[in-house]
Amino acid sequence: GRGTECGAPEDFLALTANGGYAEYVVAGDSAFVRVPDGWSAVEAAPVQCTYGTVWHGAIARGGLLPGETVLVTGASGGVGAAAVRLASRLGCKVIGTTTSEKKVDFIRSLGADHVVVAPDNRFFKDSRVKGGVDMVLEC
């Protein structure tokens, strides 16, 4: 809050599940993160949004665990790239999908073990996906 030992409001960002598009928002303290030193809120907000979304969906709600196999659709987009990175660093086997061969190297550089190129979005026909996955993150 204003004038407390926590710091100025512009020093924090929060990710809320509902009601975030308002002039004022009430959120629990666990929703807040400090803006990193040397960053502006404008620079930090996209990171909080993409990684926070993936963390909430895959780990907090989905219970993704090390060693599981996760399929990430749209793996080259903002949320998809965050999903590949987080799942990879968690120790998951990651299969990323894309519609373009041009994006394969980028998705691999994020930590994907496999990349399925499916211009028609029919990635489910690929044998790496047919074997089954523990979680699908549609990004």
Side-chain angles (χ1 to χ4, degrees):
R2 245 183 244 143
T4 69
E5 67 277 356
C6 296
E10 61 271 11
D11 292 339
F12 294 89
L13 295 173
L15 185 64
T16 61
N18 297 304
Y21 295 111
E23 187 175 351
Y24 297 98
V25 176
V26 176
D29 60 352
S30 65
F32 289 88
V33 295
R34 185 176 288 281
V35 173
D37 290 339
W39 290 43
S40 71
V42 171
E43 294 166 321
V47 175
Q48 169 70 352
C49 184
T50 55
Y51 282 86
T53 297
V54 174
W55 185 270
H56 178 73
I59 296 165
R61 297 289 303 264
L64 186 63
L65 297 171
E68 292 186 326
T69 299
V70 60
L71 173 70
V72 179
T73 66
S76 64
V79 175
V84 171
R85 283 185 171 149
L86 281 176
S88 174
R89 280 157 185 74
L90 184 62
C92 297
K93 177 182 172 188
V94 180
I95 303 170
T97 72
T98 183
T99 56
S100 171
E101 191 71 45
K102 294 177 187 176
K103 299 175 184 176
V104 171
D105 289 340
F106 172 68
I107 296 168
R108 284 191 193 280
S109 77
L110 298 172
D113 297 289
H114 303 287
V115 179
V116 177
V117 179
D120 59 0
N121 277 320
R122 294 179 182 251
F123 52 83
F124 53 86
K125 291 185 175 186
D126 188 281
S127 63
R128 292 167 286 195
V129 178
K130 279 185 175 180
V133 297
D134 298 295
M135 182 179 289
V136 177
L137 297 173
E138 188 174 5
C139 301

